[in-house]
Amino acid sequence: MALIVHKYGGTSMGSTERIRNVAKRVAKWARAGHQMVVVPSAMSGETNRLLGLAKELAPAKTNDAYGRELDMLAATGEQASSALLAIALQAEGLQAVSYAGWQVPIKTDSAYTKARIESIDDQRVRADLAAGKVVIITGFQGIDSLGHITTLGRGGSDTSAVAVAAALKAAECLIYTDVDGVYTTDPRIVPEARRLHTVSFEEMLEMASMGSKVLQIRSVEFAGKYKVPLRVLSSFTPWDIDLNEEAKSGTLITFEEDEHMEQAVVSGIAFNRDEAKISILGVPDKPGIAYQILGAVADANVEVDVIIQNIAKDGKTDFSFTVNRNDYAKTIDLLKDKVLPTLGAAEVQGDTKICKVSIVGIGMRSHVGIASKMFRSLSEEGINIQMISTSEIKTSVVIDEKYMELAVRALHKAFDLDQAAA
Ligand code: ADP
Ligand code: ASP
Ligand code: MG
């Protein structure tokens, strides 16, 4: 019998009926003799609702005082769903106790709204498990060194679950969600998308970082760092299906490349509408320019993604990069106020109506011509590529947002992802 961590997402926790269903499923695992730790998300829509209330009172601000209160607020969503699950489990006749992040404690840094987990104390949880209790730990949140509640960024309950599994050296971390695994692309966009039985850790990392929100990227990083066995599966199967069957369902994230399996060159397509493009035009072409621009951006704690610097003409060049849309206005202001005057650059332009589409696959390492096939497929659809970035196992393009779905569908087809693997 093993120590198992289950994570249930917002939709899976979306009503009292669904919470009762989760409780019955967890009870099934506990009665089979497993030690169970459960990490729930807030009920679906709750985090958006809470953050929306804050915005009604004051527009989003980037200072710590505002960020702290957002975390104080948003963390209540998971506190409520966790307590409700404990109550449902008790109603099933199990002993269950729920803890907020600070009660465990799950210690994080102080980067409000996107804090990182630093350590998890396992003592309290282990004592409860030893006493035969199911332990429920709120997803998405922790506490910083000053005792302030923090949250881990949208989708952060995945990361809580994997970090808890790592801290407890759990036999497996099962991420229950509203799809029955990881697909070749988001099945909401491409109905022909296929479920992958396994996906390598590296591919999952790229897919998550390129925008597939099925797993938060930090959860995949944690799984890789601590080798946590991780599986994504459906919470919508009947709760009383055979446990062994359930334990093998969904998509397993693997850490070793299977030598015997014929790898598809491209395993999946990810997309992301959360970025915005910023261009600085007429930048003098001299050493230190990239640092002057991006150093200032980094100092403001803004993450930069795709970067392009054009060839200089008449000693001037254009410099473009993408940032998260939430950081767009702040970055434009910063460039206008602090960077342009010292740089002697002409002007800043921005575009929020872009998206990034990426093809991902470890097979790309050993095959040539994959990127060009991507570019050809996009050109056949008349889609203009604005920026390109590549790594060993992915190629991303930035395109006009209005072509996103078209691009994803065309690429899904071009790389035969709707065909069952040979
Ligand atoms: P949860 O609330 O359970 O955390 P999320 O909404 O965060 O669920 O993530 C699950 C959703 O991720 C799915 O409903 C699906 O629309 C989306 N998704 C995006 N890319 C993929 C993919 N490659 N495979 C499966 N789901 C994906
Ligand atoms: N409730 C949080 C969110 O909506 C965390 C999560 O669901 O993982 O982002
Ligand atoms: Mg999620």
Side-chain angles (χ1 to χ4, degrees), residues 7 9-10 177-179 181-183 185-188 207 212-214:
K7 180 259 172 178
T177 182
D178 56 4
V179 274
V182 178
Y183 277 66
T185 193
D186 189 341
R188 285 181 216 262
M207 279 173 70
S212 294
K213 68 166 187 169
V214 62

Side-chain angles (χ1 to χ4, degrees), residues 234-310:
S234 173
S235 70
F236 290 156
T237 54
W239 68 265
D240 55 354
I241 59 169
D242 178 66
L243 189 145
N244 293 318
E245 188 189 319
E246 184 174 313
K248 280 192 253 131
S249 67
T251 302
L252 179 70
I253 319 300
T254 57
F255 293 100
E256 279 143 41
E257 282 180 38
D258 187 341
E259 301 278 327
H260 305 293
M261 234 170 60
E262 181 57 35
Q263 279 292 342
V265 179
V266 172
S267 305
I269 297 173
F271 52 84
N272 178 351
R273 296 177 243 239
D274 297 338
E275 291 186 23
K277 186 170 90 170
I278 296 176
S279 303
I280 307 183
L281 309 180
V283 181
D285 188 30
K286 56 179 195 214
I289 288 303
Y291 173 65
Q292 248 183 296
I293 298 170
L294 298 181
V297 173
D299 288 346
N301 207 8
V302 171
E303 269 178 52
V304 168
D305 186 24
V306 187
I307 304 168
I308 282 195
Q309 182 174 352
N310 288 334

Side-chain angles (χ1 to χ4, degrees), residues 20 24 26 41 49 64 100 106 124 134 144 149 161 197 216 230 234 246 282 318 346-348 356 374 376 380 391 394:
R20 183 174 292 127
K24 286 185 190 295
V26 171
S41 288
R49 188 186 73 85
D64 271 1
I106 295 179
R124 194 169 194 176
V134 174
D144 75 1
I149 289 174
H197 292 284
Q216 197 200 37
L230 187 62
S234 173
E246 184 174 313
D318 299 338
E347 83 179 278
V348 187
K356 190 174 68 178
M374 178 188 202
R376 184 175 70 220
E380 280 166 6
S391 79
K394 72 122 212 277

Side-chain angles (χ1 to χ4, degrees), residues 7 9-10 41-42 47-48 78 140 153-158:
K7 180 259 172 178
S41 288
T47 310
N48 284 344
E78 271 70 9
F140 186 48
R154 300 308 303 269
S157 298
D158 297 330

Side-chain angles (χ1 to χ4, degrees), residues 33 49 62-63 146 162 249 264 275 301 319 355 364 397 414 419:
R49 188 186 73 85
T62 47
N63 61 44
L146 298 169
V162 177
S249 67
E275 291 186 23
N301 207 8
F319 192 93
C355 71
M364 288 168 76
V397 295
Q419 312 288 317

